[in-house]
């Protein structure tokens, strides 16, 4: 007899379980838990953002609204980008989505489908490949090369993976989980390859401000792309302004694609709640100081965990150039999934296993350091006293 699951679509049936959530469930309920597995900090959303959302609710703004996003938010996004990248942006190129995750899903829907392929450099946030596969396309992993001074994306590896079915290249920089940052030269090579092979680029630059090199932000496709380049940027309010639970993101793309994205939003969520969008407006227009605090906090957290883990003989860790994660390995550990499960059960420290991040990540563990320093220091202490016993 055919089971209910077997009657589902292959895309739904084959959607992978989250290796990160598995560890979360193993540590659930511990009073001494230090959760460093998720990509979020431990600060609640600032009051000025919450107050803007409350004011919207008090105005009775609980009805359907603009599918592309309320005009004040699209204008705020344009101003934010102009300030960040030093050139003008039209509000017409911004489309508000119900999270960065939905932005990725809509971008994939727009450029790929059954029988198509999207190339994803790995290790990568697992939701990227899952979003591609769920929509009937195929995520093609291109493992990055780990070298003595860090990770490297070899453009020749990307080009070798292109087939007649390839329609898009996905690039996340600064990268979750490795902390790798694409230089402007790498971005230029990636863009030239997309132009030569007539491909779309989906660019995830959500961690642009969490950058530890020279300058206020990481290099961007915005620095080098022309108006006619086929690039869809996906982004989110989550990381910069401590709004992970708000589920507000955006797509930045040429205005001529506006009706397409409006349609895709209409047929998925029918828009983002007005009060959430007004909170986002406040974040973009009044959140400069808080944003700087977030970045500096991550910088201090980075130094704290680097200092602690680099002192351990069995740990191999390189300083990340961006984002807010350490991606490290432990000598003798080949099953990082079991390591992460044992660690959280025995010490209360929650890390994400590298097995969750695709090809090339299997030997690693990811630690999110966008948290208070005393928790990070205690996590390193527990890890350092537990490792010799395994």
């Amino acid at each position: 007899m055919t089971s209910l699951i077997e009657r589902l679509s292959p895309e739904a049936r084959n959607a992978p379980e989250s290796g990160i959530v598995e560890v979360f469930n193993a540590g659930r309920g511990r009073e001494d838990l230090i959760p460093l597995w998720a990509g979020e900090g431990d600060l609640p959303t600032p009051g000025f953002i919450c107050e803007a959302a409350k004011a919207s609710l008090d105005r009775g703004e609980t009805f359907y609204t603009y599918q592309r996003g309320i005009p004040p938010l699209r204008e705020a996004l344009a101003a934010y980008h102009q300030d960040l990248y030093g050139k003008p942006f039209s509000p017409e190129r911004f489309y508000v989505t119900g999270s960065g995750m939905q932005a990725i899903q809509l971008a994939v829907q727009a450029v790929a489908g059954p029988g198509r392929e999207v190339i994803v450099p790995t290790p990568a946030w697992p939701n990227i490949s899952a979003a591609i596969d769920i929509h009937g396309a195929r995520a093609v992993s291109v493992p990055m090369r780990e070298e003595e001074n860090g990770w490297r994306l070899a453009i020749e590896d990307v080009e070798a993976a292109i087939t007649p079915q390839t329609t898009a290249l996905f690039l996340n920089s600064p990268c979750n989980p490795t902390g790798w940052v694409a230089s402007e030269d790498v971005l230029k090579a990636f863009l030239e390859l997309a132009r030569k092979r007539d491909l779309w680029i989906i660019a995830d630059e959500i961690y642009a401000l969490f950058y530890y090199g020279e300058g206020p932000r990481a290099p961007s496709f915005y620095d080098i792309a022309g108006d006619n380049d086929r690039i869809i940027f996906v982004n989110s309010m989550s990381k910069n302004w401590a709004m992970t639970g708000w589920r507000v993101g955006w797509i930045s793309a040429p205005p001529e694609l506006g009706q397409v994205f409006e349609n895709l939003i209409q047929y998925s969520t029918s828009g983002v709640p007005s009060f959430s969008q007004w909170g986002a407006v406040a974040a973009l227009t009044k959140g400069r100081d808080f944003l700087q605090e977030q970045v500096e906090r991550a910088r201090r957290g980075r130094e704290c965990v680097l200092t602690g883990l680099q002192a351990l003989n069995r740990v191999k860790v390189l300083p990340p150039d961006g984002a807010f994660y350490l991606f490290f390995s432990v000598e003798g550990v080949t099953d990082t999934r079991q390591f992460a499960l044992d660690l959280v059960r025995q010490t209360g420290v929650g890390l994400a296993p590298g097995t969750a991040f695709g090809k090339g990540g299997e030997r690693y563990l990811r630690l999110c350091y966008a948290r208070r320093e005393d928790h990070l220091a205690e996590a390193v202490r527990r890890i350092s006293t537990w490792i010799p016993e395994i």
Side-chain angles (χ1 to χ4, degrees):
M1 181 178 178
T2 303
S3 70
L4 291 178
I5 290 179
E6 290 174 321
R7 293 179 180 273
L8 297 175
S9 70
E11 292 79 14
R13 188 171 65 243
N14 296 326
E17 295 183 33
S18 170
I20 302 173
V21 172
E22 181 185 21
V23 179
F24 173 84
N25 289 335
R28 190 191 299 271
R30 285 188 67 117
E31 293 185 0
D32 63 345
L33 182 66
I34 302 179
L36 307 179
W37 45 48
E40 64 179 354
D42 55 358
L43 292 178
T45 304
F48 70 91
I49 297 175
C50 297
E51 288 302 321
K54 292 176 185 176
S56 174
L57 286 169
D58 289 341
R59 293 193 297 268
E61 295 174 345
T62 57
F63 300 93
Y64 291 128
T65 187
Y66 296 86
Q67 303 299 290
R68 302 188 191 194
I70 60 174
L73 179 51
R74 299 176 75 203
E75 292 164 5
L77 284 166
Y80 168 77
H81 282 73
Q82 180 169 327
D83 182 61
L84 191 58
Y85 298 103
K87 59 183 181 180
F89 285 82
S90 168
E92 293 305 310
R93 70 169 290 124
F94 296 100
Y95 315 100
V96 181
T97 61
S99 71
M101 186 66 241
Q102 192 197 20
I104 292 173
Q105 290 179 325
L106 298 185
V108 169
Q109 279 186 293
V111 303
R116 302 297 188 178
E117 296 175 350
V118 179
I119 291 176
V120 181
T122 58
W125 185 44
N127 293 33
I128 296 168
S129 293
I132 294 165
D133 293 341
I134 286 172
H135 287 297
R138 187 170 79 92
V140 177
S141 295
V142 174
M144 297 178 67
R145 302 182 184 185
E146 185 195 13
E147 301 180 347
E148 285 300 316
N149 59 346
W151 295 85
R152 182 172 76 88
L153 175 63
I155 296 300
E156 58 268 29
D157 292 347
V158 177
E159 184 160 21
I162 296 172
T163 74
Q165 287 71 47
T166 305
T167 60
L169 311 175
F170 195 108
L171 192 67
N172 168 222
S173 174
C175 176
N176 171 13
T178 63
W180 168 79
V181 176
S183 66
E184 186 168 300
D185 286 342
V186 169
L187 294 177
K188 286 179 179 177
F190 206 82
L191 179 56
E192 286 304 318
L193 177 60
R195 289 168 174 168
K196 181 175 73 171
R197 303 300 292 267
D198 198 26
L199 301 173
W200 286 90
I201 291 175
I202 302 175
D204 178 350
E205 299 183 355
I206 188 172
Y207 297 100
L209 294 176
F210 292 91
Y211 177 55
Y212 312 110
E214 295 183 4
R217 60 167 175 81
S220 168
F221 280 115
Y222 283 124
D223 298 324
I224 60 173
D227 291 339
N228 295 323
D229 281 312
R230 294 162 57 182
I231 304 177
I232 299 173
F233 294 84
V234 294
N235 216 313
S236 170
M237 301 298 301
S238 292
K239 313 298 182 180
N240 290 355
W241 296 280
M243 295 176 68
T244 52
W246 290 64
R247 317 314 299 141
V248 181
W250 73 86
I251 285 172
S252 171
E256 64 188 277
L257 303 183
Q259 192 58 54
V260 171
F261 283 117
E262 179 173 332
N263 295 344
L264 293 176
I265 292 168
Q266 168 64 32
Y267 301 134
S268 55
T269 58
S270 295
V272 176
S274 292
F275 46 89
S276 298
Q277 294 191 60
W278 279 108
V281 171
L284 289 163
T285 58
K286 302 177 182 178
R288 183 187 296 270
D289 290 345
F290 179 77
L291 180 51
Q292 187 60 37
E293 177 188 345
Q294 287 273 77
V295 174
E296 289 305 316
R297 200 166 185 257
R299 191 183 300 274
R300 293 193 300 270
R302 174 179 179 268
E303 293 307 310
C304 175
V305 292
L306 269 176
T307 300
L309 292 180
Q310 285 179 329
L312 305 180
N313 292 331
R314 293 183 59 192
V315 172
K316 179 183 177 182
V317 56
L318 294 171
D321 294 325
F324 44 62
Y325 309 101
L326 282 193
F327 205 53
F328 66 95
S329 60
V330 180
E331 182 183 354
V333 174
T334 56
D335 186 348
T336 56
R337 171 185 170 273
Q338 192 60 53
F339 180 96
L341 290 170
D342 291 343
L343 180 69
V344 73
R345 287 167 178 157
Q346 296 179 33
T347 73
V349 176
L351 303 180
T355 49
F357 299 95
K359 293 181 180 179
E362 297 88 350
R363 295 186 297 109
Y364 298 85
L365 295 136
R366 190 192 73 174
L367 179 156
C368 174
Y369 53 77
R371 301 183 68 86
R372 48 190 284 187
E373 287 184 70
D374 59 330
H375 281 187
L376 294 173
E378 173 62 15
V380 170
R381 186 195 67 78
R382 294 184 197 178
I383 292 171
S384 64
T385 56
W386 184 75
I387 282 180
E389 299 177 2
I390 65 174

